[in-house]
Amino acid sequence: MSNIRFFKTFIAVAEYGSFAAAADRVALTNAAVGQQMRALEEEMRRPLFDRSQRQVKLSRDGVLLLPKAKRLLADYEQMIAEAPDDMAMEGEVSIGGITSGMGLLANCLVQLKKLHPRISVNLMTARSEEVVSLVHAGKLDAALLIETARQNFDGLSWTLLYNEPIVMLANTAQTSGIDDAVELLRTQPFIRYDRSTAVGRKVQSIIKSESVEPLEILELNSIIGIADLVRQQVGVAIVPLLKNFDWHKDPSLRVLPLPGDLAVRRVGILEQGTKSAITGEIRKLLMSAVAK
């Protein structure tokens, strides 16, 4: 059991880039995270971190261990979630989710119902900021949402599921022959994603770093809606590359990389904890779906 907890902490350090950030996610002190990682290194008999730099980074052995640790943790959680037929899960569970992740979440909940018919599911959609407060209040048992620096996950369980890179979305016919995202931002009408959101703030930061004043024509709080407008040749946009939407295969759309360091939107599941058996099963189904 101790090693399982250590591996969970190790994965958090790898994902968040520091002992302090990992401590916030696994409900430990910085000192406890450091103690666990030293104990894990002693158990594995090799250094897992490169401590020569200011920011903690995985060593070569740590990089090689990370996917194995994730598989071990997933297998362990699956064993815990599996119950004998005579102990089938039942009860009511309330789940929230962001609009762009609703298809993925709904498909996993359909699978849940097939596996455990006696579970009753209430599903709602809302912005990430709203569902976090509902999970804290116990009005939602879990939620699929976007992680931002301003959120408070204290006392809750957070699991990162996938990252969505932030890219430029352009119409194929409208922008043929131009592959430079910055040039398109300067010359094409710009559809802005809601600047009050975490992604909207990242978009503004990207625009500012390139010293561009885009030809902004409208602002919209719907990534799917923005994609539809790009298809209609209304303009270009900077948005997260939504998982499972296959924009790369859409003949009317072009997905272009942005200059500079890759910016991402981090999507995961937040669990309240009182119905951990059911929400853990949902988490397992989501992890399986995004791994395909």
Side-chain angles (χ1 to χ4, degrees), residues 9 19 29-39 41 51:
T9 304
F19 287 2
T29 63
N30 291 4
V33 169
Q35 290 172 357
Q36 284 192 4
M37 293 305 91
R38 286 192 293 273
E41 286 177 315
R51 296 179 173 85

Side-chain angles (χ1 to χ4, degrees), residues 117-131:
R118 287 186 284 180
I119 293 178
S120 175
V121 181
N122 297 316
L123 180 61
M124 66 163 288
T125 180
R127 293 177 57 168
S128 287
E129 297 83 354
E130 298 168 344
V131 293

Side-chain angles (χ1 to χ4, degrees), residues 1-16 25-26 36-37 40 65-82 157-161 269 271 280-281 283-285 287-288:
M1 286 295 295
S2 294
N3 282 350
I4 292 294
R5 289 196 295 270
F6 291 176
F7 280 125
K8 186 173 183 179
T9 304
F10 169 70
I11 293 168
V13 174
E15 290 179 346
Y16 291 95
R25 296 307 177 196
V26 296
Q36 284 192 4
M37 293 305 91
L40 184 60
L65 179 63
L66 182 59
K68 297 177 182 178
K70 289 183 176 180
R71 287 197 299 270
L72 176 65
L73 186 60
D75 289 343
Y76 174 77
E77 291 181 343
Q78 182 173 347
M79 286 189 293
I80 296 298
E82 289 174 349
S157 175
W158 163 261
T159 303
L160 176 67
L161 295 173
I269 182 171
E271 299 172 65
E281 184 78 354
R283 177 181 2 101
K284 182 187 74 172
L285 291 170
M287 293 175 71
S288 176

Side-chain angles (χ1 to χ4, degrees), residues 19 33-34 37-38 41 47-59:
F19 287 2
V33 169
M37 293 305 91
R38 286 192 293 273
E41 286 177 315
L48 302 177
F49 301 96
D50 178 2
R51 296 179 173 85
S52 63
Q53 302 180 34
R54 184 172 183 179
Q55 184 177 10
V56 175
K57 292 186 177 181
L58 294 184
S59 67

